[in-house]
Amino acid sequence: MWRRIHTLYLALAALLIAAMFFMKFATVVAPDGEEDIMYYEMIPTALLMLSALCANGVAVFTYKNRLLQMRLASTAALVCLALQIYLAYHFFRADDQLVFSISMAFPLVASILDFLAFRAIITDDIAVFTAIRTRGKKKEDGEITNP
């Protein structure tokens, strides 16, 4: 399972999204003090993060079913892109009092990792299919022929 590069990509993407649950989204700087806004305090962000985390987590452990793993990796990449678009919306709509965290780029990095995992899974699937095809088929008397 951990010998494949796509598993590492998926695990890193899941770790990035999971780390966002413990990081602050932004800090409101006001004359009377500062207040932190966490990612999980915003319901749409929390739901998108949770769905991306679940998709990545399940994709890591479905290594025996490459088709399902490909679909989950592409779904996780799209959810991470949707999360990044949602965060960018808040970034461009914000007041001057907000100071954003660098963790806003984590969904973009996770989406790139999910896309790389998707490509690696496809490459692995093609290699397995080619290996099975080039082995040849056995005849009933034990002789191997190529298709």
Side-chain angles (χ1 to χ4, degrees):
M1 176 171 110
W2 293 104
R3 287 186 267 163
R4 304 274 186 235
I5 191 71
H6 56 78
T7 305
L8 182 65
Y9 290 149
L10 291 170
L12 285 175
L15 285 175
L16 280 174
I17 298 299
M20 288 178 66
F21 278 105
F22 304 105
M23 295 182 165
K24 61 182 178 179
F25 169 66
T27 303
V28 179
V29 180
D32 57 340
E34 295 181 355
E35 182 182 344
D36 292 336
I37 302 171
M38 303 297 282
Y39 283 105
Y40 60 81
E41 293 175 355
M42 300 182 295
I43 299 299
T45 305
L47 290 176
L48 285 170
M49 286 173 21
L50 189 63
S51 62
L53 183 63
C54 288
N56 279 321
V58 172
V60 167
F61 295 107
T62 57
Y63 57 92
K64 290 188 179 186
N65 189 351
R66 281 184 294 278
L67 183 62
L68 178 62
Q69 195 176 31
M70 277 190 284
R71 289 181 180 167
L72 285 170
S74 63
T75 301
L78 291 175
V79 170
C80 287
L81 277 178
L83 177 60
Q84 186 64 47
I85 291 169
Y86 183 73
L87 293 177
Y89 169 75
H90 281 293
F91 179 77
F92 290 116
R93 205 180 126 238
D95 296 334
D96 292 337
Q97 297 176 344
L98 287 177
V99 178
F100 290 97
S101 172
I102 192 69
S103 62
M104 281 188 67
F106 283 5
L108 182 63
V109 175
S111 179
I112 292 169
L113 288 170
D114 285 332
F115 177 71
L116 289 173
F118 177 75
R119 287 189 52 198
I121 295 165
I122 288 175
T123 305
D124 189 40
D125 194 36
I126 290 171
V128 168
F129 179 74
T130 304
I132 290 171
R133 188 162 167 91
T134 57
R135 272 191 219 152
K137 297 179 183 176
K138 282 190 175 184
K139 284 187 176 179
E140 284 143 24
D141 60 358
E143 182 182 329
I144 297 176
T145 60
N146 284 331

